[in-house]
Amino acid sequence: MEKILVIGAAGQLGSELTKSLSVNFGSESVIATDLQESARAKFDYCHFEVLDVMNKEGLRNLVKNEKVTQIYHLAAVLSATGEKNPMFAWHLNMESLLHVLELAKEFKLDKVYWPSSIAVFGPNTPKINTPQYCVKEPNTVYGISKQAGERWCEYYFQKFNIDVRSLRYPGLIGYKSLPGGGTTDYAVDIYHKAIAGEKFDCFLKSDTSLPMMYMPDAIKATLDLMNAPRESVKIRSSYNLAAMSFTPKEIYESILPYYPKFEMEYHPDFRQAIADSWPDSIDDQCARNDWNWKPDFSLEEMTKDILENLPNYKF
Ligand code: SER
C-alpha cells in the first residue's frame, strides 16, 4: 500500500490536492501535515500530524514510523512574503527540500513531488510563450530558491535515481482556501471582494499579463504527472505548465456580467516589479508531449465556476 505524506497540506494547493489524493488512494493512505494545530479541522477525512518541516528528526521519524512511500512537499514561503524576509525564505525553501530529498534517498521512497513556479524566470527571459529551456535569472528570493531547487531535484534523480517530479505552476486560483503571500494572489482576492460587494484595490497595474491556472487544472496536472510511467517523465528539473494568461483588467471584465456594479482601483506596490519580471505566457509543449497535459478551464469558465460556488462555500 502507498503511504503518501503531504507536507504543507493546509496551504492553497495542499488543501485541495490532499483531498484528491485521499479520493484516489484511500484516506488510510494519506498523512496530511502542517505547521499549525488549527489545520487539523480541515483533515477530518485522513490522518493529520502537526509538523514543522524544519524539524529534521520529526520528519525523519514520521517517514520511518509510518513507512511513507511518497512525499508531496508543498511547504514554501511565496514570492511577496519572501521579499520581506529573504534569509528566512531561502532557509525554509531550500533546507526543507534538501531534507526531503535526503529522506527519499535514505528510505528509498517511490516518488517525491515538489512544486516549482513561473518565478524561476526573470527579466531576461523571453516573455511571450516562454520556452522550457531558456535564460532564467530570477530576481526574487522565492524564484532563486525554486531555480536552485529544480537543480537539486534533477541532481538527485541523476545521481541517486530518486523519482522526483515537478511542475512550474503559474499563478494558482482556487476558492477553497485563502492564498498566502503570492504576487498572483490578487486574482483570488478579487472574487471575494466582488461577492462581498466591496471595491477591489489591485496591487498590480491594469495591463500586467501573467500566466494563471484554475485549481482543478493544477490538481489534474499534478496527479497526471505523478501517475505517468517513469519513462514518460523526461524532464527531472520541472515542467513548464500553462492554462491561460490574463491581466487584472481582463479578470475584472470577466466578473462584471455577474456583478455589474463591481468597482476596481489600481494601486501598484512592490509586487508590480515581481510581476514585471515574470513571463506573460508559457510554452508547455513538453508537458503536452510527454504525459498528455491539456487544461480544461479558460478565464470565463473559471470565473463562472468560482462565482457559482464560492458564495456557498464553508471555510
Ligand atoms: N503564485 C506564486 C506567487 O505569486 C508564484 O508561484 O508567489
Side-chain angles (χ1 to χ4, degrees), residues 252-313:
Y252 170 73
E253 284 168 355
S254 81
I255 295 172
L256 270 187
Y258 302 86
Y259 292 91
K261 294 195 177 133
F262 182 43
E263 289 180 85
M264 168 146 159
E265 281 182 8
Y266 301 94
H267 295 110
D269 66 13
F270 73 101
R271 288 167 283 195
Q272 183 66 46
I274 299 177
D276 287 344
S277 77
W278 290 351
D280 289 8
S281 57
I282 299 286
D283 177 346
D284 62 356
Q285 205 55 50
C286 295
R288 290 173 187 258
N289 292 345
D290 290 358
W291 41 275
N292 299 320
W293 161 244
K294 192 165 104 39
D296 291 328
F297 286 88
S298 65
L299 172 58
E300 285 68 32
E301 289 162 330
M302 174 176 79
T303 293
K304 181 170 185 289
D305 200 61
I306 293 179
L307 294 180
E308 277 173 10
N309 289 295
L310 177 55
N312 307 316
Y313 189 76

Side-chain angles (χ1 to χ4, degrees), residues 217-230:
D217 272 337
I219 303 295
K220 183 176 85 158
T222 310
L223 297 177
D224 283 357
L225 172 69
M226 290 302 277
N227 290 333
R230 190 181 167 108

Side-chain angles (χ1 to χ4, degrees), residues 61-312:
N61 287 339
L62 194 56
V63 169
K64 187 173 175 208
N65 297 339
E66 296 291 337
K67 300 190 171 45
V68 166
T69 60
Q70 298 188 21
I71 297 181
Y72 285 66
H73 172 29
L74 311 179
V77 177
L78 294 189
S79 61
T81 312
E83 291 312 289
K84 291 181 183 157
N85 195 343
M87 282 305 111
F88 173 68
W90 174 257
H91 183 58
L92 188 136
N93 292 358
M94 292 316 305
E95 293 287 312
S96 64
L97 173 62
L98 290 170
H99 291 175
V100 167
L101 292 172
E102 277 295 296
L103 289 173
K105 186 167 74 159
E106 182 181 350
F107 291 98
K108 300 189 173 30
L109 300 189
D110 288 349
K111 285 176 198 167
V112 173
Y113 180 75
W114 175 79
S116 186
S117 160
I118 53 165
V120 294
F121 300 115
N124 297 319
T125 298
K127 264 184 140 12
I128 312 289
N129 287 330
T130 301
Q132 175 72 37
Y133 300 105
C134 58
V135 171
K136 307 249 179 346
E137 302 184 356
N139 62 8
T140 62
V141 68
Y142 174 68
I144 299 169
S145 72
K146 288 295 180 189
Q147 191 190 15
E150 287 189 7
R151 299 287 85 229
W152 278 116
C153 288
E154 192 173 304
Y155 185 87
Y156 271 74
F157 173 73
Q158 286 175 349
K159 305 280 171 178
F160 308 118
N161 207 20
I162 307 294
D163 189 352
V164 51
R165 306 178 181 201
S166 176
L167 297 170
R168 289 176 185 150
Y169 291 122
L172 297 184
I173 303 165
Y175 65 85
K176 295 185 180 168
S177 63
L178 296 171
T183 302
T184 55
D185 292 350
Y186 85 87
V188 178
D189 293 336
I190 191 170
Y191 291 110
H192 290 266
K193 288 287 186 300
I195 289 166
E198 293 170 24
K199 187 187 277 184
F200 181 58
D201 192 2
C202 185
F203 58 71
L204 296 181
K205 288 193 261 178
S206 64
D207 60 352
T208 309
S209 178
L210 285 171
M212 299 279 191
M213 179 174 285
Y214 191 28
M215 193 60 83
D217 272 337
I219 303 295
K220 183 176 85 158
T222 310
L223 297 177
D224 283 357
L225 172 69
M226 290 302 277
N227 290 333
R230 190 181 167 108
E231 60 281 6
S232 303
V233 183
K234 302 202 176 83
I235 292 174
R236 295 299 181 150
S237 49
S238 190
Y239 276 94
N240 273 12
L241 190 72
M244 59 180 103
S245 288
F246 58 75
T247 65
K249 184 164 179 282
E250 286 164 344
I251 189 172
Y252 170 73
E253 284 168 355
S254 81
I255 295 172
L256 270 187
Y258 302 86
Y259 292 91
K261 294 195 177 133
F262 182 43
E263 289 180 85
M264 168 146 159
E265 281 182 8
Y266 301 94
H267 295 110
D269 66 13
F270 73 101
R271 288 167 283 195
Q272 183 66 46
I274 299 177
D276 287 344
S277 77
W278 290 351
D280 289 8
S281 57
I282 299 286
D283 177 346
D284 62 356
Q285 205 55 50
C286 295
R288 290 173 187 258
N289 292 345
D290 290 358
W291 41 275
N292 299 320
W293 161 244
K294 192 165 104 39
D296 291 328
F297 286 88
S298 65
L299 172 58
E300 285 68 32
E301 289 162 330
M302 174 176 79
T303 293
K304 181 170 185 289
D305 200 61
I306 293 179
L307 294 180
E308 277 173 10
N309 289 295
L310 177 55
N312 307 316

